[in-house]
């Protein structure tokens, strides 16, 4: 190992040696068809073409189905068009020589792989990148625990079998910090701790343990003999447990427990945990504005653009922490290289966030959105341009609901309708208002969030990078002009890649 480090040190005269680290490496990636992992795979293939193999764990019934998902969701993705242009006619051959789809499931022993495949990968793998997760705020507790807690547990058990493993990299979220307020440091979670006990001196809240949470889920399932009410009961249980221990929702809670599991099982395995904040469309690479699916801020902004959300349950001065996906990818590769070289049996945490270096508030976000939708308004199903008004902010749900009711009532006034037609419209209208109330309550912990994320490890990483690495692996969020980014990149990107030019009915 010392000889390998000496050779690498000779190769890279300065900086971290990001490109050099990935040369000849075999990498296992979970969640490979997801937004973040897909962007990471593209960047690795484009900038470190001497990587050996990238194994993608894909849920599929057989190899043929896994290869079909690789082709349709990755190889033919718009994200990979720059890579395709680089390689021309040899593009598919290049991908097939580097990328290997593997049928599996992170919820199962050996990650659901057959014995021969599992043994082969365990012998070859240098690096594990865990990007698999359920990110829905109010997911069923049993499903969220399975994905965000049992998944990392199974991966750690598999990691122990990997003889050449240099690093285990896990994506968490900055919001795994739960209800912490003020400046939030990049420190690991350990099993048994809770946010509530940090904030309240009394010891009324019992220690948090993954086994206890899994047992509660099992008991509830046994209690409810059929599926009637199971989904809602599971959602209620997840939120109840999250709130008890100081987290805002089931997603952030289970991601924190997942971190605890990894920490408790790490032994001598070097661990890197990256906690991005809200990941948005690409800033520069491989081209500006690429995005897959709505990200956390997008439903708010596009409901506003449709005219359906003229008010918001929100502190307008609350900071909304967003970071472009390509900066998360660049930080990932730089941090992997740094800690992959060191191979120190420690757990290192990085916040990939913007509030400490380049803050933007909700009021700024919706001022920019107002500007954008006035210049590029949606057109409804009738062909009329949708007008937006300046966002109004409320700190009480009742005031918010009354305002929404008032504005939407004016928008939906229609004359010369029969009593039956009017009744249908009123029912549909009431459902919309109730949905927006539920939706706003779901987002409330984030629109009143009281913390901001320290990025000391990110700043140190940037200082260790060479000038060339800083250009090729941009991680400095302080350079982003949020108005230019939102108006010129992100919102047009969502329209192109998510909405795909569809008309919006209101």
């Amino acid at each position: 190992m010392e000889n390998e480090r000496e050779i690498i040190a000779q190769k890279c005269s300065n900086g971290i040696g990001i490109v050099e680290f990935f040369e000849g490496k075999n990498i296992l990636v979970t969640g490979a068809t997801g937004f973040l992992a897909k962007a990471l795979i593209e960047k690795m293939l484009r900038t470190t073409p001497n990587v050996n193999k990238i194994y993608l764990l894909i849920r599929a019934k057989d190899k043929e189905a896994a290869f079909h998902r690789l082709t349709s969701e990755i190889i033919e993705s718009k994200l990979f068009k720059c890579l395709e242009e680089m390689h021309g006619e040899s593009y598919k051959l290049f991908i097939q020589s580097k990328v290997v789809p593997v049928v599996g499931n992170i919820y199962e022993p050996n990650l659901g792989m057959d014995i021969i495949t599992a043994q082969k990968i365990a012998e070859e793998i240098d690096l594990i990148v865990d990007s698999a997760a359920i990110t829905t705020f109010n997911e069923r507790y049993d499903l969220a625990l399975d994905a965000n807690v049992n998944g990392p547990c199974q991966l750690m058990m598999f990691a122990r079998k990997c003889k050449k493993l240099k690093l285990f990299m896990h994506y968490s979220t900055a919001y795994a910090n739960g209800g912490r307020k003020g400046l939030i440091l990049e420190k690991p979670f350990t099993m048994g701790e809770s946010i509530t006990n940090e904030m309240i001196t009394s010891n009324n809240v019992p220690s948090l343990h993954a086994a206890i949470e899994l047992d509660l889920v099992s008991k509830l399932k046994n209690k409810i003999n059929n599926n009637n009410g199971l989904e809602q009961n599971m959602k209620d249980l997840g939120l109840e447990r999250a709130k008890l221990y100081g987290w805002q929702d089931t997603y952030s809670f289970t991601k924190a427990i997942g971190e605890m599991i990894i920490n408790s099982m790490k032994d001598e395995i070097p661990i890197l945990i990256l906690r991005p904040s809200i990941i948005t469309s690409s800033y520069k690479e491989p081209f500006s504005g690429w995005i897959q699916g709505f990200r956390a801020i997008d439903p708010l902004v596009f409901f506003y653009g449709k005219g359906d959300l003229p008010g918001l349950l929100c502190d307008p001065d609350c900071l909304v922490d967003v970071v472009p996906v390509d900066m998360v990818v660049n930080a990932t590769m730089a941090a992997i290289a740094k800690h992959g070289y060191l191979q120190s049996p420690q757990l290192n945490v990085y916040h990939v966030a913007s509030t400490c270096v380049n803050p933007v508030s909700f009021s700024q976000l919706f001022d920019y959105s107002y500007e954008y939708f006035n210049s590029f308004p949606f057109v409804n199903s009738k062909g009329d341009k949708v007008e937006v008004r300046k966002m109004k902010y409320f700190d009480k749900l009742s005031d918010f609901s009354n305002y929404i009711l008032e504005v939407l009532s004016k928008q939906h006034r229609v004359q010369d309708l029969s009593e039956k037609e009017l009744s249908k419209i009123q029912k549909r209208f009431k459902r919309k208002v109730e949905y927006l109330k539920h939706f706003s309550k779901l987002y409330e912990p984030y629109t009143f969030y009281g913390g901001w994320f320290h990025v000391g490890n990110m700043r140190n990483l940037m200082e260790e990078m060479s000038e060339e690495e800083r250009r090729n692996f941009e991680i400095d969020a302080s350079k982003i002009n949020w108005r230019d980014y939102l108006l010129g990149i992100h919102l047009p990107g969502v329209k192109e890649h998510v909405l795909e030019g569809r008309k919006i009915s209101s």
Side-chain angles (χ1 to χ4, degrees):
M1 190 165 64
E2 288 300 324
N3 289 337
E4 183 182 355
R5 289 180 186 173
E6 287 174 13
I7 293 168
I8 291 166
Q10 290 171 2
K11 280 185 177 180
C12 45
S13 57
N14 56 18
I16 295 171
I18 300 169
V19 172
E20 292 82 1
F21 174 78
F22 286 89
E23 287 185 2
K25 296 297 188 295
N26 294 306
I27 304 167
L28 175 64
V29 180
T30 71
T33 57
F35 174 49
L36 178 53
K38 192 183 290 187
L40 175 63
I41 293 161
E42 190 277 340
K43 176 84 177 193
M44 287 193 292
L45 291 171
R46 181 163 45 85
T47 60
T48 61
N50 291 326
V51 66
N52 191 40
K53 296 288 183 184
I54 303 177
Y55 294 97
L56 307 184
L57 192 73
I58 296 176
R59 294 183 70 174
K61 64 179 181 179
D62 53 33
K63 289 181 181 179
E64 185 181 348
F67 184 78
H68 175 73
R69 288 195 68 188
L70 169 68
T71 303
S72 62
E73 298 182 44
I74 295 178
I75 295 176
E76 295 176 354
S77 168
K78 290 180 183 178
L79 173 68
F80 286 74
K81 70 178 185 180
C82 293
L83 193 65
E84 185 175 2
E85 288 170 3
M86 283 173 59
H87 289 274
E89 292 181 0
S90 62
Y91 169 64
K92 287 190 177 179
L93 287 175
F94 170 75
I95 292 286
Q96 289 168 9
S97 71
K98 298 292 181 181
V99 180
V100 182
V102 178
V103 177
N105 189 332
I106 61 164
Y107 308 163
E108 299 173 10
N110 278 332
L111 311 181
M113 297 182 285
D114 64 75
I115 294 174
I116 295 174
T117 303
Q119 287 177 342
K120 180 179 184 293
I121 291 178
E123 289 173 3
E124 293 183 3
I125 221 73
D126 298 288
L127 171 67
I128 293 174
V129 175
D130 178 25
S131 185
I134 284 179
T135 59
T136 307
F137 292 164
N138 62 337
E139 183 56 86
R140 282 175 47 163
Y141 196 33
D142 54 338
L143 300 183
L145 281 171
D146 210 15
N148 299 340
V149 179
N150 181 38
C153 178
Q154 296 295 340
L155 271 168
M156 287 300 295
M157 286 193 282
F158 182 75
R160 290 172 174 174
K161 303 175 185 178
C162 300
K163 299 173 184 177
K164 291 173 55 184
L165 190 67
K166 294 170 177 60
L167 188 69
F168 181 102
M169 203 294 297
H170 172 76
Y171 282 121
S172 183
T173 170
Y175 293 96
N177 287 289
R180 288 172 173 162
K181 298 185 184 301
L183 184 63
I184 301 171
L185 302 178
E186 298 160 293
K187 65 176 187 176
F189 280 109
T190 57
M191 194 66 74
E193 69 176 292
S194 76
I195 305 298
T196 304
N197 284 336
E198 287 179 14
M199 299 170 68
I200 301 172
T201 54
S202 65
N203 295 317
N204 293 333
V205 178
S207 294
L208 172 58
H209 286 278
I212 294 173
E213 301 309 305
L214 291 166
D215 185 55
L216 280 172
V217 164
S218 178
K219 287 179 178 176
L220 181 58
K221 280 189 169 180
N222 290 334
K223 186 177 179 181
I224 302 174
N225 295 323
N226 53 52
N227 284 327
N228 291 335
L230 180 61
E231 180 168 351
Q232 191 58 51
N233 274 277
M234 281 296 172
K235 286 186 175 184
D236 293 343
L237 179 63
L239 185 58
E240 176 190 319
R241 299 301 288 178
K243 297 286 187 184
L244 172 66
Y245 287 105
W247 275 268
Q248 57 270 46
D249 50 38
T250 305
Y251 165 60
S252 60
F253 183 45
T254 53
K255 289 299 287 182
I257 302 174
E259 287 194 34
M260 295 176 192
I261 281 283
I262 291 170
N263 198 358
S264 68
M265 297 177 68
K266 70 178 186 299
D267 293 332
E268 296 299 306
I269 300 172
I271 304 290
L272 172 64
I273 293 179
L274 260 68
R275 294 179 185 158
S277 56
I278 299 167
I279 307 175
T280 51
S281 59
S282 57
Y283 181 49
K284 292 180 180 178
E285 292 187 83
F287 53 88
S288 298
W290 178 79
I291 191 167
Q292 179 174 294
F294 270 149
R295 313 322 299 170
I297 63 168
D298 298 329
L300 294 173
V301 170
F302 281 86
F303 272 139
Y304 171 72
K306 285 174 60 179
D308 284 342
L309 194 67
L312 192 63
L313 189 64
C314 173
D315 174 2
D317 296 323
C318 175
L319 299 179
V320 51
D321 199 308
V322 293
V323 60
V325 65
D326 47 336
M327 285 195 172
V328 179
V329 164
N330 292 338
T332 300
M333 292 182 68
I336 282 175
K338 174 181 176 176
H339 294 284
Y341 284 136
L342 293 173
Q343 294 180 43
S344 176
Q346 297 175 341
L347 191 155
N348 294 278
V349 175
Y350 284 70
H351 286 156
V352 188
S354 61
T355 45
C356 274
V357 295
N358 191 5
V360 61
S361 67
F362 272 98
S363 62
Q364 289 174 294
L365 171 65
F366 282 99
D367 283 348
Y368 300 148
S369 301
Y370 174 78
E371 190 176 346
Y372 178 80
F373 289 119
N374 268 296
S375 299
F376 306 99
F378 279 128
V379 176
N380 64 23
S381 57
K382 298 175 183 177
D384 300 325
K385 291 179 180 179
V386 177
E387 294 183 9
V388 294
R389 59 179 71 196
K390 281 278 191 177
M391 179 65 84
K392 287 198 71 171
Y393 302 94
F394 301 90
D395 56 10
K396 292 180 181 177
L397 184 62
S398 58
D399 294 341
F400 162 79
S401 301
N402 290 337
Y403 179 72
I404 294 292
L405 189 64
E406 176 190 339
V407 173
L408 295 189
S409 294
K410 290 177 181 176
Q411 291 178 358
H412 288 77
R413 278 181 188 158
V414 183
Q415 295 179 349
D416 302 325
L417 290 177
S418 68
E419 190 174 328
K420 186 177 180 181
E421 289 171 326
L422 186 60
S423 176
K424 279 185 179 180
I425 288 176
Q426 287 174 340
K427 284 180 181 178
R428 189 179 66 192
F429 173 54
K430 286 178 181 178
R431 284 197 300 268
K432 180 178 280 191
V433 172
E434 285 303 310
Y435 174 77
L436 290 172
K437 283 170 63 178
H438 170 75
F439 178 80
S440 298
K441 283 294 290 180
L442 191 65
Y443 272 80
E444 186 178 10
Y446 299 92
T447 56
F448 289 91
Y449 199 75
W452 54 96
F453 307 110
H454 190 257
V455 288
N457 288 338
M458 281 285 294
R459 304 302 288 181
N460 292 338
L461 188 68
M462 190 164 60
E463 289 175 7
E464 294 175 37
M465 296 166 73
S466 67
E467 287 297 323
E468 184 180 4
E469 287 175 331
R470 289 179 196 175
R471 285 194 303 272
N472 296 333
F473 296 88
E474 174 94 40
I475 63 173
D476 189 359
S478 69
K479 293 182 179 179
I480 301 174
N481 180 310
W482 290 119
R483 179 184 176 277
D484 291 349
Y485 170 72
L486 288 164
L487 270 67
I489 296 175
H490 180 68
L491 296 179
V494 174
K495 270 192 170 182
E496 178 182 353
H497 299 288
V498 182
L499 300 178
E500 298 178 334
R502 292 193 301 269
K503 287 185 177 181
I504 301 297
S505 59
S506 59

